[in-house]
């Protein structure tokens, strides 16, 4: 299974570099999110929830959860994955990212700590060498019964599908904003400027349903929501 | 951006490096490097655009334009400007975050009732 998935994951690697360079940042758009709507019944909980947001730091999301008395943790894993010191070579001499080092620097939380993890489109844009280790760590930091929301592109999405940040603006409404990294914003946790990043993050692969099920095979249940914009929303329960 | 000027404002310039405990009863503007801890219970701390603070920070108001690594406790409010890079947990009564700011950590909003109860 691993080799099939890995081959599939290579689908978009190495194509059409730099095509986004001249594209101006798009205005924010809104989209309805069935997955978020499904999660929304949790937000009214009187018990404070622990929510982990793995997208770009979002003032809207922080406001959304703190206004409801919940604790929100913010950690931008895509930016963290651009840390140059993570670059290493595997046994075959291929350049990969050091997943052990990545997990030693990121996602450092106690086991079973979070009620909800907002993964957004992280798996589609994260380097291949980090996807499975990160999902394994997310399983361990979720509480039993905790939920994780992730978005996956469908096969109709092209390799230049832009990476978005997601701001929660209602119970099932998101504002999406294309990520265009300014030079100053290309700083990882160490503060280093990552000149290797062009303008934004590139789609690394497209998962089909079976690959998604395999990715979340340790979770108790998985639910798919289809959307019109070449995105499948996936809600998994630990 | 130049440092704000005030009669009760202490400034740490961008060429200054300090290691240790900083405490005081006046506002502080840090545009240099500080490592250790900063406690300004009834005053404000501003980390300027060139500032690099690696410290636990406790203050009434904390404004970050530069880099701050450490846990943050503000009795009133925290402001993360668009150039802010913050790694650490933030506990405060109010927070404002500009688009573009980077935060790795927890945001815990505590009301006065929470503080009194020691939550």
């Amino acid at each position: 299974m691993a080799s099939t998935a890995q081959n599939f994951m290579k689908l978009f690697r190495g194509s059409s570099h730099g095509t986004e360079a001249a594209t101006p940042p798009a205005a924010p758009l809104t989209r309805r999110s069935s997955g978020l709507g499904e999660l929304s019944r949790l937000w009214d909980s009187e018990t404070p929830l622990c929510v982990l947001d793995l997208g770009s730091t979002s003032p809207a999301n922080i406001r959304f959860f703190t206004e409801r008395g919940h604790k929100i943790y913010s950690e931008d894993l895509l930016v963290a994955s651009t840390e140059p010191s993570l670059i290493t070579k595997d046994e075959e001499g291929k350049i990969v990212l050091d997943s052990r080092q990545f997990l030693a620097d990121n996602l450092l939380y106690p086991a079973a700590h979070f009620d909800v993890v907002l993964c957004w489109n992280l798996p589609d844009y994260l380097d291949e060498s980090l996807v499975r280790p990160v999902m394994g760590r997310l399983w361990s930091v979720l509480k039993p019964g905790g939920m994780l929301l992730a978005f996956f592109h469908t096969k109709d999405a092209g390799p230049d599908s832009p990476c978005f940040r997601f701001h929660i603006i209602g119970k099932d409404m998101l504002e999406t904003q294309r990520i265009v990294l300014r030079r100053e914003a290309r700083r990882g946790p160490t503060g280093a400027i990552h000149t290797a990043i062009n303008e934004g993050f590139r789609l690394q692969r497209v998962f089909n349903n079976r690959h998604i099920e395999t990715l979340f095979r340790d979770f108790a249940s998985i639910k798919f929501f289809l959307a019109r914009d070449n995105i499948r929303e996936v809600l998994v329960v630990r | 951006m130049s440092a704000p000027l005030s009669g009760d404002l202490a400034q740490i310039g961008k060429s200054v490096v300090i290691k240790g405990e900083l405490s005081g009863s006046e506002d502080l503007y840090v545009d240099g490097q500080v490592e250790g801890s900063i406690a300004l219970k009834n005053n404000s701390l501003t980390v300027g655009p060139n500032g690099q603070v690696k410290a636990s920070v406790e203050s009434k108001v904390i404004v970050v334009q530069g880099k701050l690594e450490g846990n943050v406790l503000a009795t009133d409010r925290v402001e993360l400007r668009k150039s802010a890079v913050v790694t650490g947990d933030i506990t405060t009564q109010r927070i404002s975050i500009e688009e573009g700011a980077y935060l790795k950590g927890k945001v815990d909003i505590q009301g006065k009732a929470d503080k009194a109860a020691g939550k």
Side-chain angles (χ1 to χ4, degrees), chain A residues 175-188:
Chain A
E175 185 180 88
T176 61
Q177 192 176 8
R178 183 175 177 168
I179 296 175
V180 177
L181 295 172
R182 290 168 293 108
R183 180 178 165 78
E184 265 306 290
R186 295 177 204 170
R187 291 188 289 194

Side-chain angles (χ1 to χ4, degrees), chain A residues 187-207:
Chain A
R187 291 188 289 194
T190 64
I193 302 290
H194 302 295
T195 52
I197 301 173
N198 189 14
E199 275 219 334
F201 295 97
R202 299 196 68 253
L203 188 63
Q204 299 289 309
R205 66 197 72 81
V206 169
F207 291 90

